[in-house]
Amino acid sequence: MSGLIGKKIGMTSIFDENGKNIPCTVIEAGPCIVTQVRTEEIDGYNAVQLGFDDATEKSATKADLGHAKKAGTSVKRKIVEFKGFDAEYKLGDAITVEHFVEGEFVDVSGTSKGKGFQGVVKRHGFGGVGQATHGQHNRLRAPGSIGAASYPARVFKGMRMAGRMGGEKVKVENLRVLKVVPEKNLLVVKGCVPGHKNAYVIIRK
């Protein structure tokens, strides 16, 4: 799947031709620079490595500096490989948001917002004492019984309990591209995408 690296700008809404209000996410997609071309002869597979968002040389390692110098570009903060590009690219080529067209569907993946340590009501949607779930009688947000007794004398793996929530890789599939703004490198997709504002996302089609 070919695609681009982007940065989530935020959410807004637009009206379609029927006057319906559509929630959408604005993504700064590209321009991405080709930093390496993988070939079947050398690497065993075909792919294009793209870099996005300039980093300072001060924060880069010598390996990063040499890798960027070979491509004739500056050091990039985010580097991702993509397979399935129809066109052939060489080192230093730029791929812009015009790679996408309005009306097509894309998959967007990123890291979801970290919520920290959360209880079972927030993390798993338990009903609490109001819906009298899991046997508790006077504790509003407690998990209640977890099922273990003298046999099996342990807690089964995968039991829904309190714990860390969020901060995981999430992919949202089949988001429709509502608008492409080439002069500002912006891509507007219907619905929401994972991550906080200014988080990196990967857009594939």
Side-chain angles (χ1 to χ4, degrees):
M1 297 172 69
S2 63
L4 282 180
I5 312 168
K7 184 185 290 187
K8 179 179 175 179
I9 302 299
M11 290 196 70
T12 183
S13 61
I14 61 176
F15 291 93
D16 64 6
E17 60 276 7
N18 298 320
K20 184 178 179 181
N21 193 5
I22 302 175
C24 54
T25 304
V26 182
I27 302 172
E28 180 187 347
C32 295
I33 308 298
V34 177
T35 55
Q36 191 170 357
V37 178
R38 303 282 192 181
T39 59
E40 190 79 42
E41 299 77 28
I42 299 174
D43 305 289
Y45 65 99
N46 295 313
V48 175
Q49 185 189 87
L50 301 182
F52 174 70
D53 201 10
D54 292 340
T56 59
E57 291 190 7
K58 181 180 178 182
S59 64
T61 63
K62 288 190 176 181
D64 292 335
L65 290 169
H67 190 67
K69 185 177 180 181
K70 190 174 181 181
T73 183
S74 58
V75 180
K76 302 299 180 182
R77 292 184 186 275
K78 185 72 172 177
I79 292 178
V80 179
E81 282 189 3
F82 294 88
K83 296 180 179 180
F85 276 102
D86 295 329
E88 291 188 5
Y89 294 100
K90 58 182 184 294
L91 288 178
D93 286 351
I95 305 176
T96 66
V97 71
E98 293 178 275
H99 180 67
F100 301 101
V101 295
E102 294 181 9
E104 70 178 347
F105 291 87
V106 296
D107 298 343
V108 182
S109 58
T111 303
S112 62
K113 289 182 180 180
K115 306 286 186 178
F117 194 98
Q118 299 295 333
V120 292
V121 172
K122 185 176 181 70
R123 192 181 189 207
H124 298 296
F126 283 16
V129 76
Q131 297 178 29
T133 59
H134 294 268
Q136 73 254 30
H137 61 94
N138 61 355
R139 300 179 307 282
L140 181 61
R141 303 175 75 86
S145 172
I146 58 173
S150 58
Y151 177 82
R154 64 187 176 89
V155 178
F156 288 114
K157 287 185 176 180
M159 182 69 65
R160 294 183 299 168
M161 301 175 75
R164 276 188 159 181
M165 180 180 176
E168 300 173 334
K169 187 173 181 181
V170 178
K171 178 190 279 189
V172 182
E173 298 181 332
N174 296 325
L175 297 177
R176 185 158 53 92
V177 176
L178 299 177
K179 191 175 292 187
V180 178
V181 188
E183 57 272 14
K184 294 186 178 180
N185 301 312
L186 295 181
L187 186 71
V188 181
V189 297
K190 182 180 179 180
C192 58
V193 303
H196 56 80
K197 290 181 181 178
N198 293 322
Y200 293 116
V201 293
I202 299 168
I203 312 133
R204 301 180 188 270
K205 70 172 184 175

